[in-house]
Amino acid sequence: MAYRTGVVGASGYTGAELLRLLAGHPEVDVVHVTADANAGREVGELYPSLASAYGSLRYAALDPADLAGLDVAFVALPHGESQRVVPALAGAVAHVVDLGADFRLPAGVYERWYGTPHDAPGLLDRFSFGLPELFRAEMAERPHVAAPGCYPTAASLALAPAIARGLVEPAGIVVNACSGVSGRGRGLSAPSLFSEANESVSAYGLLTHRHTAEIELALGRLAAEDVQVLFTPHLVPMTRGILATCTARPATDGLSTAKLLDEYRDFYDGEPFVRVLDEPPATKATWSSNAVHVTVRFDERTGTVLALAAEDNLVKGASGQAIQGANLLLGLPEVLGLPAVGVAP
Amino acid sequence: MAYRTGVVGASGYTGAELLRLLAGHPEVDVVHVTADANAGREVGELYPSLASAYGSLRYAALDPADLAGLDVAFVALPHGESQRVVPALAGAVAHVVDLGADFRLPAGVYERWYGTPHDAPGLLDRFSFGLPELFRAEMAERPHVAAPGCYPTAASLALAPAIARGLVEPAGIVVNACSGVSGRGRGLSAPSLFSEANESVSAYGLLTHRHTAEIELALGRLAAEDVQVLFTPHLVPMTRGILATCTARPATDGLSTAKLLDEYRDFYDGEPFVRVLDEPPATKATWSSNAVHVTVRFDERTGTVLALAAEDNLVKGASGQAIQGANLLLGLPEVLGLPAVGVAP
Amino acid sequence: MAYRTGVVGASGYTGAELLRLLAGHPEVDVVHVTADANAGREVGELYPSLASAYGSLRYAALDPADLAGLDVAFVALPHGESQRVVPALAGAVAHVVDLGADFRLPAGVYERWYGTPHDAPGLLDRFSFGLPELFRAEMAERPHVAAPGCYPTAASLALAPAIARGLVEPAGIVVNACSGVSGRGRGLSAPSLFSEANESVSAYGLLTHRHTAEIELALGRLAAEDVQVLFTPHLVPMTRGILATCTARPATDGLSTAKLLDEYRDFYDGEPFVRVLDEPPATKATWSSNAVHVTVRFDERTGTVLALAAEDNLVKGASGQAIQGANLLLGLPEVLGLPAVGVAP
Amino acid sequence: MAYRTGVVGASGYTGAELLRLLAGHPEVDVVHVTADANAGREVGELYPSLASAYGSLRYAALDPADLAGLDVAFVALPHGESQRVVPALAGAVAHVVDLGADFRLPAGVYERWYGTPHDAPGLLDRFSFGLPELFRAEMAERPHVAAPGCYPTAASLALAPAIARGLVEPAGIVVNACSGVSGRGRGLSAPSLFSEANESVSAYGLLTHRHTAEIELALGRLAAEDVQVLFTPHLVPMTRGILATCTARPATDGLSTAKLLDEYRDFYDGEPFVRVLDEPPATKATWSSNAVHVTVRFDERTGTVLALAAEDNLVKGASGQAIQGANLLLGLPEVLGLPAVGVAP
């Protein structure tokens, strides 16, 4: 018998992507979807791509009581709204999987990067940082999951083996990442317009992008010491995909590209979604899948470790990873409903 | 126990798309793949997107003996090559599903449009024109399938209800279609370059595109008389997708948009992959799925029927339709392994 | 001494394109720009591409008194707003060049297609329909210009020689056109989002697009009888460019592609911006220029004339044509400040 | 009286871009164009965008004698071919402006990065490294110009003020850059295909891209000591544009973003093509122009200088810069024929 789930905030891109993936999930039924601004409309009206799977389902305005008793509630609300909704939800459903930023960081770090105190600090301990490849054990011990951001997923998986095994210094790390425009969501804003984004690359959020805190948090746990990252995100003219290009200074002698590739392959051995490639990864190969493709180099000339990771920002960077977390909470195989094969070309 | 299949010409885009879709097919195993120019290379080397599903599989040079005894051989070769290969294959495997143009047309029509006599005219009768929504009965009676071209699939499904029910005249039909660049395949040519195709729309093959013959053939069978079409294909800057925009003159009085939509919904009732929409279809909603989205209008002002259909050219326009045909030949549910949900955005 | 001009509504895409082109115009100075929503901001802040040419210029809220005495006022306001502004402007400046739809159609036709009576019908006679290649004589006799829409420019120039010379029937014309997303302007709307428009083609405004009226008007004048067009616009994933693909039924015997190309070359002989090509035109070749590339075919098989035209929708389809009209009104060479060379790739 | 020039290798993208820009140059006439593979064809046949300017001009096979007596020969050949051609050309024309890599580096550095000895080392001293903003004085003293590569132009201009004024350390510099696909030229190769490049970002040339040598050379001259750079180029799905994102460690105390912006503005004061912006630059704003947009930040948290530069790779990164160099050699105003205004959107 399938698990019963609901999606809160199901009209945005990560909500729609949850619905797309869950339509193919053999053990999960979507029984309720909310979208305040689109309440009353059919899912297939907003997303004709989903019409064949959710023909008669209509968005409801959010009322936590409507979700009472569900096995899992996925929350795909804009940052800041989850902490208002989750207190009611957490008591009503078995598991909450939040795709927003609200339950990823400790209260103090949250306040420092978001400039406002957390509304529900008492609930933070009930959420794990939902990156299974790095924190699977912790995830199994807590009832709820805060799925990490799109950039932190790519950057953390690119650097994790090097950090966890003490191969690079925890300071002086530089992460440059390129993201497709869907990372900005479905909201209307000038930089999201086709005519503005097309044929253009630009960086944004210089020095201050909030995902920095998540990258430092994830890597800091692996390093068991403070990690410092300068993170610069870029917007590139594509719909989906993130490529993180990371540099770090070596912490040991004797590094080489071959040794690093070996360490990475050993670290990710058995992971169904992470592949360590000899060649530079392309986001296209991960398109619409939950895969992450990684490679690593040691530059002897400048004494620098270079690590790259590619993913689909809406899948492994958001909705796929949320489902991976839900599978884990429900005791299902982690890969259920999640393609590792990308759509290319 | 799964059926055993091979893919001949598996390094091109339609071949790779067959592999992508078959990786998720519960009743089919891919046991052999050929690609003469890439013989010896791993599938995952050419297509990192497929590495997790076909890690150790290598392309072989084509030798029909290698496919002997298989349940199905998919043939995804450039036009003209199938007719050289199929004679040997057809005796060695239970079913051939050809994605090329070689077995779609009667010998005389083939020679008229391709300018050269057919090499294997004796086999033409063993192939059905593999558009299940229109010719399902015939497909069940022949051992092999010639999957129709990408444009003919969209155009025929856009016009089929109107033609089959005698609502429009068989002459004076105009089909304009826009295709993504993947329709040109993976071969190297200047018009396929990003810098040439991006930020450009152009028509090509004016008056002479060979898919005209398939559209006229498919619609002619429905009309039970000759149908004449002026078909103009366009290249647009996207990877996948075809939109066919068709006009025809009414053959009866009393047409209206409402009546046409009713006729179309009735005609396609029960079809798992065809949806008749009230709104104009967008190719994006069918992206990577086997879906076809159709709408129709009657313009009282000019007395014209306007019909549109959107599809993914590599799926319903090629590899998905080929698998749909194979399912039918094998007695499996037609929808097996074929998503009706598109990836959007 | 340069002519002094102002641009009303200079923060939208056609306004910015006017500024870009006028920055290179040797006989025109831009001395005033208005943009109500961006009043007080610098041009270069909104458009860094223009900063080097208009560094210190700031947008003002519109006050017709600010433009008093100018030689030309370009009006690039959303449809419907020009007719409220032009009555005051027309008395204050020597020439008005309106890029909107308000002064292109006779009052009755306007009301039929726009569903509301015209606000300033008394001024309509003072505006010419500003397509110089077709209506140069009329333009020279009226003080103001209504520059035609982007689609009507392409469609009219594609069909004009055939219509004007009686080679095709005035009824049964079908125009399909593909437009880049900049045609939707800089306003925020879901279909203009990158993630919605990218990798998608769709038709819109089925049967009812208002540019139909302009196409019928322009061609009707050439035919000296009513012309009827079914016009279907499409949105394609590129920023700029329109390709119009038009079919019409022959009105005379003896047509051939060679004869049609001769007639077209003769008709456009001496036109600096129109080129009749043997090959199908691509929008890319006209990118950022005022050029229109045209070709034509006669399909003997179906008895149909096929005509195509490519242009940059923001230049020949809007701002470039407006400047061409202004040059004509001011007695300057029509080509001044207007590139015929496109940026490609 | 105009200067007479020829373009060697005029059928590639940088050659075509030279023709486009020179069509608008008031003091230069193009009298000869070569393209071995396209000899005999008209320029306008290959590039319909250029037809109105070069209607009757045909490509010739290269014979240096055909260029004898010209004022300038632009050489836009693939890397490695210039050194075979220039020895004959340099004696026949007054000035050579080479757009390839052959004359940019000292012989020893060339051999180290290109793996083969230089064919014409005796001519290297007659070429200057043609980045006028940094090496204008040297350029005026030598007869020929080697226009720098597209990436080195962006990276060097992003970092030049910080390096030249001793604000950052010469080691530990990291340059990540994103380039449009036109940077790969017009040659046929799989990664240049639309269907491969679209919807994908990937890095390439990891650790070994040859432009590293040019960046180190240019910055090393400014620093008057060795500079070491880890350079990672990325391919992004657009036709034109390069964004360089650079990090460096501070060499002095008391840095701040405000101070850095002041230093940058002072350094580039009076430069017609370089603008120092407060906001992050977007490549789109420089599209088709010779402009470079730069910004800089100091991250107090990690103690890092972050500098960014955007340009059009085919203009300031190639053909525009070559013309700027030619203007300088000919004693013309550097800006002649070179737009500083970009085409946006």
Side-chain angles (χ1 to χ4, degrees):
Chain A
M1 205 188 70
Y3 292 98
R4 298 170 69 243
T5 72
V7 177
V8 176
S11 66
Y13 287 155
T14 56
E17 191 69 354
L18 281 166
L19 294 182
R20 175 180 79 84
L21 291 164
L22 292 173
H25 194 298
E27 300 287 344
V28 166
D29 283 347
V30 176
V31 299
H32 191 68
V33 291
T34 86
D36 286 2
N38 289 295
R41 297 177 70 184
E42 290 187 358
V43 169
E45 185 190 341
L46 232 66
Y47 290 97
S49 54
L50 299 174
S52 61
Y54 299 96
S56 61
L57 190 67
R58 286 178 190 276
Y59 293 111
L62 172 60
D63 179 348
D66 292 338
L67 295 107
L70 295 189
D71 297 297
V72 182
F74 293 95
V75 181
L77 295 173
H79 297 330
E81 295 188 20
S82 292
Q83 53 195 291
R84 263 136 239 149
V85 167
V86 163
L89 268 185
V93 303
H95 303 290
V96 173
V97 179
D98 185 27
L99 284 78
D102 292 18
F103 293 92
R104 295 172 188 160
L105 301 171
V109 180
Y110 180 88
E111 186 167 349
R112 196 175 323 132
W113 284 87
Y114 286 82
T116 170
H118 200 281
D119 269 8
L123 279 170
L124 286 168
D125 277 356
R126 314 210 61 212
F127 281 80
S128 60
F129 190 79
L131 196 38
E133 288 80 4
L134 304 183
F135 307 112
R136 192 172 276 125
E138 180 196 277
M139 291 172 71
E141 292 168 0
R142 303 193 180 188
H144 309 312
V145 164
C150 51
Y151 289 122
T153 297
S156 301
L157 293 174
L159 289 164
I163 287 282
R165 299 190 168 186
L167 306 176
V168 297
E169 294 289 345
I173 295 173
V174 172
V175 174
N176 279 271
C178 291
S179 172
V181 183
S182 68
R184 295 180 52 89
R186 198 165 179 260
L188 299 178
S189 67
S192 297
L193 292 176
F194 186 92
S195 300
E196 303 289 319
N198 191 40
E199 279 292 301
S200 195
V201 171
S202 57
Y204 66 99
L206 302 188
L207 315 185
T208 61
H209 195 284
R210 290 154 169 180
H211 280 182
T212 308
E214 295 178 37
I215 303 171
E216 292 184 349
L217 176 83
L219 297 179
R221 286 189 190 169
L222 300 178
E225 64 178 310
D226 279 359
V227 166
Q228 218 178 35
V229 173
L230 174 56
F231 167 56
T232 306
H234 297 70
L235 199 65
V236 301
M238 61 188 193
T239 303
R240 290 166 177 247
I242 281 183
L243 182 75
T245 303
C246 316
T247 53
R249 295 195 283 264
T252 60
D253 289 339
L255 284 186
S256 69
T257 293
K259 177 174 163 49
L260 282 168
L261 284 168
D262 282 349
E263 294 275 3
Y264 270 59
R265 292 210 163 93
D266 183 65
F267 186 89
Y268 285 125
D269 186 42
E271 286 298 340
F273 294 119
V274 183
R275 290 186 72 83
V276 180
L277 309 181
D278 288 336
E279 297 300 310
T283 60
K284 195 179 195 76
T286 68
W287 221 92
S288 79
S289 84
N290 205 47
V292 181
H293 291 182
V294 178
T295 200
V296 66
R297 294 290 184 282
F298 181 64
D299 183 31
E300 296 191 20
R301 217 174 56 85
T302 63
T304 314
V305 171
L306 173 68
L308 300 106
E311 66 174 22
D312 182 319
N313 60 302
L314 290 182
V315 189
K316 184 60 181 174
S319 306
Q321 184 144 268
I323 292 169
Q324 193 180 352
N327 284 341
L328 196 153
L329 292 181
L330 296 170
L332 297 169
E334 257 180 54
V335 300
L336 228 54
L338 294 171
V341 167
V343 180
Chain B
M1 208 189 66
Y3 291 98
R4 299 170 69 243
T5 71
V7 178
V8 175
S11 66
Y13 286 156
T14 56
E17 191 69 356
L18 280 166
L19 295 182
R20 176 180 80 84
L21 291 164
L22 292 173
H25 194 298
E27 301 287 345
V28 166
D29 283 346
V30 176
V31 299
H32 192 68
V33 291
T34 85
D36 287 1
N38 289 295
R41 298 178 71 185
E42 290 188 357
V43 169
E45 186 190 342
L46 231 68
Y47 289 97
S49 55
L50 299 174
S52 61
Y54 298 96
S56 58
L57 191 66
R58 287 180 190 276
Y59 293 110
L62 172 59
D63 179 349
D66 292 339
L67 294 108
L70 294 189
D71 297 298
V72 182
F74 293 95
V75 181
L77 295 173
H79 297 331
E81 297 189 18
S82 292
Q83 54 195 291
R84 263 135 240 151
V85 167
V86 163
L89 267 184
V93 304
H95 303 290
V96 172
V97 179
D98 186 28
L99 285 77
D102 292 15
F103 293 90
R104 296 172 188 159
L105 300 172
V109 181
Y110 180 88
E111 185 167 350
R112 196 175 325 134
W113 285 88
Y114 287 83
T116 170
H118 199 280
D119 270 7
L123 279 170
L124 284 168
D125 276 355
R126 315 211 62 213
F127 282 80
S128 62
F129 191 79
L131 195 38
E133 290 79 4
L134 304 184
F135 307 111
R136 191 171 278 126
E138 178 196 278
M139 291 173 70
E141 292 167 1
R142 303 194 179 187
H144 309 311
V145 165
C150 50
Y151 289 120
T153 297
S156 301
L157 293 175
L159 288 163
I163 288 282
R165 299 193 167 183
L167 306 176
V168 296
E169 294 290 344
I173 295 175
V174 173
V175 174
N176 279 271
C178 292
S179 171
V181 183
S182 67
R184 295 180 52 87
R186 198 164 179 260
L188 300 178
S189 67
S192 296
L193 292 176
F194 186 92
S195 300
E196 303 290 320
N198 192 40
E199 281 290 302
S200 195
V201 171
S202 57
Y204 66 100
L206 303 188
L207 314 185
T208 62
H209 195 285
R210 291 156 169 180
H211 281 182
T212 306
E214 297 178 35
I215 304 172
E216 291 183 350
L217 175 83
L219 297 179
R221 289 193 189 167
L222 300 179
E225 63 178 311
D226 278 359
V227 166
Q228 217 178 34
V229 173
L230 173 56
F231 167 55
T232 307
H234 298 70
L235 199 65
V236 300
M238 60 188 195
T239 304
R240 289 166 177 248
I242 281 183
L243 183 73
T245 302
C246 316
T247 52
R249 294 196 283 265
T252 60
D253 288 337
L255 284 187
S256 70
T257 293
K259 176 173 165 48
L260 283 168
L261 284 168
D262 282 348
E263 294 276 2
Y264 270 57
R265 291 210 163 93
D266 183 64
F267 186 89
Y268 286 125
D269 187 41
E271 286 298 339
F273 295 118
V274 182
R275 290 186 73 81
V276 180
L277 308 181
D278 288 335
E279 297 300 311
T283 60
K284 196 178 193 78
T286 67
W287 221 91
S288 78
S289 84
N290 205 49
V292 181
H293 291 182
V294 177
T295 201
V296 66
R297 294 289 185 282
F298 181 66
D299 184 32
E300 298 191 17
R301 218 175 53 87
T302 63
T304 314
V305 171
L306 172 69
L308 301 105
E311 67 174 22
D312 183 319
N313 60 303
L314 291 181
V315 188
K316 185 60 178 171
S319 307
Q321 185 145 267
I323 293 170
Q324 192 179 352
N327 284 339
L328 196 152
L329 292 181
L330 295 170
L332 297 170
E334 257 182 51
V335 300
L336 227 53
L338 294 172
V341 167
V343 179
Chain C
M1 208 189 67
Y3 291 98
R4 299 170 69 242
T5 72
V7 178
V8 174
S11 67
Y13 287 155
T14 54
E17 191 70 353
L18 280 166
L19 294 182
R20 175 179 80 83
L21 291 164
L22 292 173
H25 194 298
E27 300 287 346
V28 166
D29 284 346
V30 176
V31 299
H32 192 68
V33 292
T34 86
D36 287 1
N38 289 294
R41 298 178 69 185
E42 290 187 359
V43 169
E45 186 190 341
L46 232 67
Y47 290 96
S49 54
L50 299 175
S52 62
Y54 297 97
S56 59
L57 190 67
R58 287 179 190 276
Y59 294 110
L62 172 60
D63 179 349
D66 292 339
L67 294 108
L70 295 189
D71 298 297
V72 182
F74 293 96
V75 181
L77 295 173
H79 297 330
E81 296 189 20
S82 292
Q83 55 196 288
R84 264 135 240 148
V85 167
V86 162
L89 269 184
V93 304
H95 303 289
V96 173
V97 179
D98 186 28
L99 285 78
D102 293 17
F103 293 91
R104 296 172 188 158
L105 301 171
V109 180
Y110 180 89
E111 184 167 350
R112 197 175 324 132
W113 284 88
Y114 287 82
T116 169
H118 199 280
D119 270 6
L123 280 169
L124 285 168
D125 277 355
R126 315 212 61 213
F127 281 81
S128 61
F129 190 79
L131 196 37
E133 289 80 5
L134 304 184
F135 307 112
R136 193 171 276 127
E138 177 196 278
M139 291 173 71
E141 292 168 1
R142 302 193 180 188
H144 308 311
V145 165
C150 50
Y151 289 121
T153 298
S156 302
L157 293 174
L159 289 164
I163 287 281
R165 299 191 169 185
L167 306 176
V168 296
E169 294 289 344
I173 295 174
V174 172
V175 174
N176 279 270
C178 292
S179 172
V181 184
S182 67
R184 295 181 51 87
R186 198 165 179 257
L188 299 177
S189 67
S192 296
L193 292 177
F194 185 92
S195 300
E196 303 290 320
N198 191 40
E199 280 291 302
S200 196
V201 171
S202 57
Y204 66 99
L206 303 188
L207 315 187
T208 62
H209 195 284
R210 291 156 169 180
H211 281 181
T212 307
E214 295 177 37
I215 303 172
E216 292 183 350
L217 175 82
L219 297 179
R221 287 191 190 168
L222 299 178
E225 64 178 310
D226 278 358
V227 166
Q228 216 177 35
V229 173
L230 174 55
F231 167 55
T232 307
H234 297 70
L235 199 65
V236 300
M238 60 188 193
T239 304
R240 289 167 178 246
I242 281 182
L243 182 75
T245 302
C246 316
T247 53
R249 295 196 283 265
T252 60
D253 289 339
L255 283 187
S256 69
T257 293
K259 176 173 165 48
L260 283 167
L261 284 168
D262 282 348
E263 294 275 2
Y264 270 57
R265 291 210 164 95
D266 183 64
F267 185 88
Y268 286 125
D269 186 41
E271 286 297 341
F273 295 119
V274 182
R275 290 186 73 82
V276 180
L277 308 180
D278 288 335
E279 296 301 309
T283 61
K284 196 179 194 76
T286 67
W287 221 91
S288 79
S289 84
N290 205 49
V292 181
H293 291 181
V294 178
T295 201
V296 66
R297 294 289 185 280
F298 181 66
D299 184 32
E300 296 190 20
R301 217 174 57 85
T302 63
T304 314
V305 171
L306 172 68
L308 301 104
E311 67 173 22
D312 182 320
N313 60 304
L314 291 181
V315 188
K316 184 61 179 171
S319 307
Q321 184 144 269
I323 292 170
Q324 192 178 352
N327 284 340
L328 196 152
L329 293 181
L330 295 170
L332 297 169
E334 259 183 49
V335 300
L336 227 53
L338 294 172
V341 167
V343 180
Chain D
M1 208 188 68
Y3 292 99
R4 299 170 69 243
T5 73
V7 178
V8 175
S11 67
Y13 286 156
T14 55
E17 190 69 354
L18 281 166
L19 295 182
R20 176 180 77 85
L21 292 164
L22 292 173
H25 194 298
E27 301 287 344
V28 167
D29 284 346
V30 176
V31 299
H32 192 68
V33 292
T34 86
D36 286 1
N38 289 294
R41 297 177 70 186
E42 290 188 359
V43 169
E45 185 190 343
L46 231 67
Y47 290 96
S49 55
L50 300 174
S52 61
Y54 299 96
S56 59
L57 191 66
R58 288 180 188 274
Y59 293 111
L62 173 59
D63 179 348
D66 291 340
L67 294 107
L70 295 189
D71 297 298
V72 182
F74 293 95
V75 181
L77 295 174
H79 298 329
E81 297 189 18
S82 292
Q83 53 195 292
R84 263 136 241 150
V85 167
V86 163
L89 268 184
V93 303
H95 304 289
V96 173
V97 179
D98 185 28
L99 285 78
D102 292 16
F103 293 91
R104 296 172 188 159
L105 302 171
V109 180
Y110 180 88
E111 184 167 350
R112 197 177 321 134
W113 285 88
Y114 287 83
T116 171
H118 199 280
D119 271 6
L123 279 170
L124 285 168
D125 276 355
R126 315 211 61 213
F127 281 80
S128 61
F129 190 80
L131 197 38
E133 289 79 4
L134 304 183
F135 308 112
R136 192 171 277 125
E138 180 196 276
M139 291 174 71
E141 292 168 0
R142 303 193 179 188
H144 308 312
V145 164
C150 51
Y151 289 122
T153 298
S156 302
L157 293 175
L159 288 163
I163 287 281
R165 298 192 168 183
L167 305 177
V168 297
E169 294 288 346
I173 295 174
V174 172
V175 174
N176 280 270
C178 292
S179 173
V181 183
S182 67
R184 295 180 53 87
R186 197 162 180 262
L188 299 178
S189 67
S192 297
L193 291 176
F194 186 92
S195 300
E196 303 290 320
N198 191 40
E199 280 293 301
S200 195
V201 171
S202 57
Y204 66 99
L206 303 188
L207 313 186
T208 61
H209 195 284
R210 291 155 169 183
H211 280 181
T212 307
E214 295 178 37
I215 304 172
E216 291 184 351
L217 175 83
L219 296 179
R221 287 191 190 168
L222 300 178
E225 63 177 312
D226 279 359
V227 166
Q228 219 178 36
V229 172
L230 173 56
F231 167 56
T232 307
H234 297 70
L235 199 65
V236 300
M238 60 189 193
T239 305
R240 291 166 176 247
I242 281 183
L243 182 74
T245 302
C246 316
T247 52
R249 294 196 283 265
T252 61
D253 289 340
L255 284 187
S256 69
T257 293
K259 177 175 164 46
L260 282 167
L261 285 167
D262 282 350
E263 294 275 2
Y264 271 57
R265 291 210 163 94
D266 183 63
F267 186 89
Y268 286 124
D269 187 40
E271 286 296 342
F273 295 119
V274 183
R275 290 186 73 83
V276 180
L277 308 180
D278 288 336
E279 297 300 311
T283 60
K284 197 180 193 76
T286 67
W287 220 90
S288 79
S289 84
N290 206 48
V292 181
H293 291 180
V294 177
T295 200
V296 65
R297 294 289 185 281
F298 181 65
D299 184 31
E300 297 191 19
R301 218 174 56 84
T302 63
T304 314
V305 171
L306 172 68
L308 301 105
E311 67 174 21
D312 183 318
N313 60 302
L314 290 182
V315 188
K316 185 60 180 171
S319 307
Q321 185 145 266
I323 293 170
Q324 192 179 353
N327 284 340
L328 195 152
L329 293 180
L330 295 170
L332 297 170
E334 258 181 51
V335 300
L336 227 54
L338 294 171
V341 167
V343 179

